[in-house]
Amino acid sequence: MQLIDTPVSPVCQKVLWDGTYLIDFGRAAFGTVELEIRCAPAERVLTVELGEELTAEGGLDRQPGGTIRYRAISLKLRQGTHLYRVTIPADERNTGPRAIRMPMEVGEVLPFRYCGIEGLSLGIELLSATQRFVHAPFDDDASYFECSDPILNEVWDLCRHTIKATTFCGLYVDGDRERIPYEGDAYINQLSHYCLDASYGIAQETIDYLVKNPTWPTEWHLHMPLIAWYDFLYSGDDGRLRAHYEILKLKTLYGLAGEDGLISAEECPTKAEVCKQLGLDSFFAEGLADMVDWPRSDCGQGDIRGEADGYVFSPVNTAVNALHHRSLVLMGRIARHIGQVNDCAFFELRARQVADSLNRKLFDASRGIYVDGNATEHASQHANFYPLLSGLVNEVRLPKVLSFIQSRGMSCSVYGAQHLLDALYKNAAAEYALSLMTAKTDRSWWHMIHRVGSTMTMEAWDVKYKPNLDWNHAWGTAPTNIIIRRLMGVRPATPGFRKATIRPQLGGLEWAKAKVPTAFGPIEVEVTQEAGREAIVEYQLPDGVERV
């Protein structure tokens, strides 16, 4: 993947009380800084500081905590006027054996919004400063979204910039701390990227990479048939389905199933063989383990117990098996497309078995909600929104399950928010889903923007929920694809977007408009609605695309 180096000019420059010259580029981006300096004295040294966060006093935070980035770099000047491209030293953590390395011709990068310069004095003049923003090719004009709610517009802009900025490796990675592709991260990254640009190369290369370099969470393997299916649905290219068909079958983890069809990564006697088939190497020596959300509910700090709503783990976990069901359903569709009739029948039958077992064994009829697993009576939000998302909740059970989910608010991480919001929109809870995307609580995108000050989506809602969080995690961009796929209702109805679904669910919005990229050109949609009246939907389709 050929990376692009885009110059970004400062939005503000000033001298601070301590003499530091502070430059603000407006938003954080991965890259480095280029400085044009005129120097009269010979061999002077400046300190160039790059960082993501300011202190309360307005200076660069030199100890930001977590994995929020700050770096101080010495820059040796030459006499005369010269252009200096600051060289970023490699970070041991994100250049390890599993990390995606930056191309040598691009060089190392750092996510930063601010540049501080110490040592500017008489005879040394800063003539210009430019942020060199490194990213994959990205069509800024391919999409847009605007609506009557200014908060949602801000959330859209935050997520949109994050998707573009986090393409700096040429593959979908988890952020700057590790720079490792993870399946669950890639799923959200992929869906959001497809809603912004009809560019499928990074997703497809990430699929190829993850097939050979899997990670440890049980659910991450279950995501692979989803990732492959949505790549086919949006791009129309079935190359990955065919090339990786046999391993995608294994990724449904049917090999971990008991007689009832439900899977267990804890008690399955064939787990070691399944892990070997999946290619889990010594880097993940313990093999598969259920995650549900991250940090897990057994990974607490202080009074805060993870991001999984207190999920109580059992040998057989409801959230995991609901996702297993979804993986089986999509694998059945993949098999049908490939022409594997027997496999299609197997996965369809197994999906029905899992649905029946999960609804019989993991549903508490007295409360009308799903419990976390087969060894607990605890019921979390996750144990209920995953069955809802997977189509396992019938009409009789739906009201109580929805009511329970809504009673928990945003009790999941920024990753879990993808599946929560998706489930709500799929079950006509659009107004409540909209309220979560526009909330001003500490579990909101508004909080990231206005209280924290990040210009990319964060790894967690706040440092108190994950002390080592970073400020550049694309798995927090769920609103991008939720807004387009669910709120505006624009989705491919057939592979390649030859047929498009346009079914808006505006909730409490008065109006919204969007431009949605497809391989055939953009779909443009504008929706207006008044209280008590049916929404008016106007749209324009590119040649070769029809609405169904």
Side-chain angles (χ1 to χ4, degrees):
M1 176 68 64
Q2 185 68 40
L3 299 177
I4 294 172
D5 182 342
T6 299
V8 179
S9 299
V11 298
C12 180
Q13 303 178 64
K14 59 184 177 181
V15 179
L16 300 181
W17 67 93
D18 62 357
T20 300
Y21 193 85
L22 183 68
I23 305 164
D24 181 0
F25 291 102
R27 293 191 293 197
F30 284 84
T32 186
V33 68
E34 207 166 57
L35 304 172
E36 185 178 14
I37 299 173
R38 180 184 296 129
C39 181
E43 296 189 351
R44 296 292 295 272
V45 177
L46 300 180
T47 299
V48 179
E49 301 175 289
L50 302 177
E52 295 178 288
E53 184 176 19
L54 296 181
T55 64
E57 293 76 24
L60 259 173
D61 192 337
R62 297 181 172 100
Q63 295 180 316
T67 45
I68 303 165
R69 289 311 191 199
Y70 167 81
R71 187 69 60 85
I73 304 161
S74 294
L75 179 64
K76 188 175 182 179
L77 303 181
R78 303 189 301 277
Q79 196 169 29
T81 300
H82 299 279
L83 189 64
Y84 301 89
R85 187 183 180 98
V86 174
T87 300
I88 308 292
D91 183 289
E92 183 178 353
R93 178 71 183 271
N94 62 29
T95 55
R98 295 278 298 196
I100 303 300
R101 302 297 185 92
M102 295 300 298
M104 290 185 65
E105 64 272 17
V106 175
E108 193 50 75
V109 296
L110 188 78
F112 71 97
R113 172 180 174 176
Y114 304 102
C115 173
I117 303 175
E118 298 180 26
L120 287 177
S121 59
L122 191 63
I124 303 176
E125 182 182 0
L126 177 66
L127 301 178
S128 69
T130 306
Q131 184 186 53
R132 304 303 307 196
F133 178 6
V134 174
H135 58 88
F138 190 92
D139 185 352
D140 290 310
D141 298 320
S143 62
Y144 65 71
F145 170 77
E146 189 178 1
C147 71
S148 56
D149 191 316
I151 294 177
L152 194 61
N153 293 334
E154 287 186 309
V155 171
W156 167 267
D157 289 341
L158 172 77
C159 295
R160 182 183 183 280
H161 174 65
T162 303
I163 290 297
K164 180 179 180 179
T166 54
T167 60
F168 69 99
C169 277
L171 293 176
Y172 297 144
V173 294
D174 69 320
D176 192 51
R177 186 175 63 252
E178 295 181 311
R179 298 188 189 174
I180 295 174
Y182 285 95
E183 296 88 340
D185 301 57
Y187 174 71
I188 299 171
N189 210 328
Q190 168 200 36
L191 286 179
S192 292
H193 196 173
Y194 287 177
C195 290
L196 295 173
D197 193 2
S199 176
Y200 312 112
I202 293 182
Q204 292 172 350
E205 290 185 26
T206 303
I207 292 170
D208 294 342
Y209 180 89
L210 286 168
V211 164
K212 297 178 181 178
N213 299 275
T215 61
W216 63 268
T218 310
E219 298 94 316
W220 274 200
H221 293 264
L222 297 172
H223 272 82
M224 285 303 293
L226 280 67
I227 293 171
W229 174 256
Y230 278 106
D231 173 60
F232 173 49
L233 198 57
Y234 275 83
S235 72
D237 178 0
D238 68 1
R240 268 66 191 173
L241 301 187
R242 295 182 182 278
H244 304 309
Y245 179 72
E246 293 301 327
I247 191 67
L248 289 173
K249 288 165 53 177
L250 297 174
K251 294 286 186 179
T252 65
L253 301 184
Y254 68 86
L256 296 179
E259 292 183 1
D260 57 3
L262 300 178
I263 63 172
S264 172
E266 181 179 326
E267 292 189 339
C268 178
T270 61
K271 178 179 176 179
E273 179 60 26
V274 170
C275 289
K276 182 179 179 181
Q277 292 173 338
L278 293 171
L280 285 172
D281 60 18
S282 58
F283 190 79
F284 299 110
E286 295 180 3
L288 296 166
D290 293 354
M291 189 183 84
V292 177
D293 212 333
W294 194 257
R296 287 176 28 146
S297 56
D298 55 359
C299 300
Q301 45 273 332
D303 295 331
I304 298 170
R305 304 302 302 173
E307 289 284 72
D309 195 26
Y311 198 100
V312 176
F313 286 85
S314 297
V316 176
N317 288 303
T318 304
V320 174
N321 275 279
L323 188 57
H324 173 53
H325 174 266
R326 181 65 178 156
S327 185
L328 292 168
V329 169
L330 294 186
M331 197 63 226
R333 295 179 189 175
I334 292 170
R336 184 185 301 115
H337 172 76
I338 297 296
Q340 297 291 336
V341 178
N342 292 338
D343 284 351
C344 178
F346 169 79
F347 286 113
E348 289 178 348
L349 179 63
R350 182 59 66 93
R352 290 193 293 271
Q353 181 189 22
V354 170
D356 177 69
S357 296
L358 191 148
N359 275 306
R360 282 188 299 105
K361 297 185 174 185
L362 301 173
F363 183 77
D364 184 344
S366 65
R367 290 183 287 172
I369 54 178
Y370 293 85
V371 295
D372 292 349
N374 66 341
T376 181
E377 295 182 356
H378 184 267
S380 66
Q381 187 180 54
H382 297 66
N384 286 271
F385 69 66
Y386 273 109
L388 190 65
L389 175 65
S390 298
L392 296 171
V393 185
N394 63 33
E395 292 183 1
V396 174
R397 294 176 174 179
L398 182 60
K400 284 190 175 180
V401 171
L402 260 178
S403 178
F404 175 77
I405 291 171
Q406 294 181 24
S407 73
R408 304 301 299 154
M410 185 69 82
S411 293
C412 56
S413 75
V414 297
Y415 152 73
Q418 169 70 47
H419 301 293
L420 170 61
L421 293 169
D422 222 349
L424 291 169
Y425 274 106
K426 285 182 71 173
N427 290 274
E431 192 158 349
Y432 181 70
L434 176 62
S435 75
L436 294 179
M437 288 196 289
T438 57
K440 293 184 178 181
T441 65
D442 64 357
R443 289 176 173 271
S444 71
W445 291 273
W446 184 91
H447 176 76
M448 295 183 192
I449 299 166
H450 291 283
R451 291 203 187 100
V452 177
S454 182
T455 56
M456 285 190 253
T457 55
M458 293 156 44
E459 186 182 4
W461 298 117
D462 192 84
V463 68
K464 70 182 179 183
Y465 298 116
K466 194 174 191 297
N468 69 336
L469 62 71
D470 65 35
W471 280 19
N472 43 72
H473 231 78
W475 83 340
T477 62
T480 306
N481 72 80
I482 295 295
I483 286 169
I484 298 301
R485 295 170 52 246
R486 298 300 179 191
L487 188 149
M488 297 304 295
V490 181
R491 304 184 297 277
T494 58
F497 246 125
R498 283 290 185 184
K499 295 182 179 180
T501 297
I502 304 176
R503 296 176 186 168
Q505 298 183 71
L506 259 60
L509 297 177
E510 296 175 1
W511 60 268
K513 58 183 179 179
K515 180 180 181 182
V516 183
T518 80
F520 302 100
I523 296 173
E524 297 191 62
V525 182
E526 188 164 349
V527 188
T528 55
Q529 64 178 10
E530 297 180 15
R533 295 187 179 183
E534 187 174 347
I536 299 172
V537 181
E538 299 177 285
Y539 59 90
Q540 292 184 345
L541 300 176
D543 292 341
V545 177
E546 63 175 294
R547 182 187 182 187
V548 295

